[in-house]
Amino acid sequence: MENIDIGISEANREEIAGGLKALLADSYTLYLQTHNFHWNVTGPRFRDLHLMFEEHYTELAVAVDDIAERIRTLDVAAPGTYKEFARLSSIEEIDGVPSAEDMVDILTRGHEQVVKTCRVALKVAQQGDDESTASLVSDRMRIHEKTAWMLRAINK
């Protein structure tokens, strides 16, 4: 680590970055899952789900960049391999191609898991007096809560 002075100790920056790494891994795994489902969804709701999944993975693509750049701002290396993401992520990978209804349920659980990951990262950021990370994580949490709500409404 370089000697940077942004008002957050090196130990706190490393701990905060740890929470962000988990959030990055979950977000990237959810991005891949959503993109996979966008490509492979079938059935009577194809068009609506295909377009919605595209909106979601496009938003997630921007999010992973924002999260990785925040990790770098804290002077910590951002994870960037499938191996690292698999180790850090709490989102279960899916084999095969589920039904459209199952895709929606799987993505709902994925967004809910990201919310839980955000809550952990948010507490660490707040304890380290890192308002910038807290703001980023809080914004991500709000987006994933809303997306999960919208997905839940589809299969009711």
Side-chain angles (χ1 to χ4, degrees):
M1 293 185 114
E2 293 180 30
N3 186 17
I4 66 171
D5 184 12
I6 58 173
I8 304 169
S9 72
E10 181 177 335
N12 282 347
R13 285 187 284 123
E14 288 178 8
E15 186 176 5
I16 292 163
L20 287 170
K21 287 178 181 183
L23 179 57
L24 177 61
D26 279 359
S27 299
Y28 198 85
T29 303
L30 186 58
Y31 163 83
L32 287 175
Q33 206 168 65
T34 305
H35 212 152
N36 174 25
F37 292 172
H38 164 78
W39 291 326
N40 291 298
V41 68
T42 60
R45 297 186 294 174
F46 166 79
R47 181 165 172 70
D48 290 337
L49 292 177
H50 181 76
L51 293 173
M52 181 181 65
F53 294 163
E54 183 175 10
E55 290 172 8
H56 292 179
Y57 77 69
T58 300
E59 192 281 327
L60 282 162
V62 173
V64 296
D65 194 54
D66 289 344
I67 297 164
E69 288 179 355
R70 183 63 196 160
I71 294 168
R72 293 300 301 135
T73 300
L74 295 171
D75 197 35
V76 175
T81 65
Y82 292 122
K83 185 177 181 178
E84 287 178 289
F85 289 148
R87 182 179 61 79
L88 292 166
S89 182
S90 56
I91 294 180
E92 182 182 341
E93 293 218 31
I94 302 301
D95 293 323
V97 179
S99 69
E101 184 174 319
D102 287 345
M103 287 177 179
V104 171
D105 288 340
I106 291 164
L107 292 176
T108 300
R109 289 192 305 272
H111 283 278
E112 289 171 343
Q113 180 55 54
V114 175
V115 170
K116 291 186 252 184
T117 301
C118 284
R119 291 189 188 288
V120 172
L122 181 61
K123 285 180 186 174
V124 174
Q126 289 169 332
Q127 289 168 351
D129 203 24
D130 181 354
E131 291 302 318
S132 296
T133 296
S135 177
L136 171 66
V137 173
S138 179
D139 288 347
R140 294 305 316 150
M141 187 165 41
R142 180 182 42 80
I143 289 166
H144 290 286
E145 287 172 338
K146 184 175 181 178
T147 304
W149 161 63
M150 291 181 161
L151 287 165
R152 280 191 302 272
I154 291 171
N155 281 346
K156 282 199 174 203

